[in-house]
Amino acid sequence: MYVPAQFQFKDQQQVLDFMQRYSFATLVTAKDQLPMATYLPFHIELRESTVVLSSHFAKANPQAQELIDRPALVIFSEPHAYIAPKNYDKQENVPTWNYIAVHAYGKAAILHEETQQLELMEKMIATYDQDYLEQWASLSMAFKLKMLKGIVAFEITVNDLQAQQKLSQNKTENERKKIINDLENSKHSTEQDLAFYMKHT
């Protein structure tokens, strides 16, 4: 991903925070030089100094077989918004788009052991629906193991993390204030979220 210097994140923790907030991401692999993509929720964690992404496919998904010994790309994005020229000081200007995106490249490993798969399920539940943990704990092991037979669980060890926050950093303070105000008053929550990130960049 092309990342101009002024649009870089300040540190890795900011990138991780963004990935965890917008953790429903796009997994991209390639087969016979054709890209394949699946949209998945991810559990994101830092193990020592390495970012690890975990999730699972439906076993019927053919992309599950393309993870083995192939590079994988996970794209985290959102929020984004059109930025109108009315927010700029000079008449001679053009529209643009503000956005935040993270590309995580790495190598995947399939989790074959039932204990690993169950651990992943509990991590995912804890991340997305803590209220369900008690119900999950009460389910029979036979039911859980039956559910596991329908999925392919995996982890991706990230070896390259590219991140961009294009938030009008190259504009004047007055222009940024107008853009933030425009986005904050939008009826769209994604644009309001983008205003939050602009105010804290």
Side-chain angles (χ1 to χ4, degrees), residues 182-198:
D182 200 21
L183 295 174
E184 282 184 326
N185 289 300
S186 168
K187 61 182 179 181
H188 302 293
S189 61
T190 55
E191 296 184 358
Q192 295 166 10
D193 288 347
L194 196 68
F196 170 83
Y197 276 101
M198 287 188 67

Side-chain angles (χ1 to χ4, degrees), residues 55-56 115-127 132-133 136 144 147-148 151 153:
S55 192
H56 62 277
T115 53
Q116 294 176 308
Q117 297 167 357
L118 287 168
E119 182 181 1
L120 172 59
M121 293 302 101
E122 290 175 3
K123 286 180 179 179
M124 296 289 283
I125 294 167
T127 299
Y132 180 58
L133 277 174
W136 172 258
K144 293 178 183 179
M147 294 298 101
L148 292 180
I151 68 168

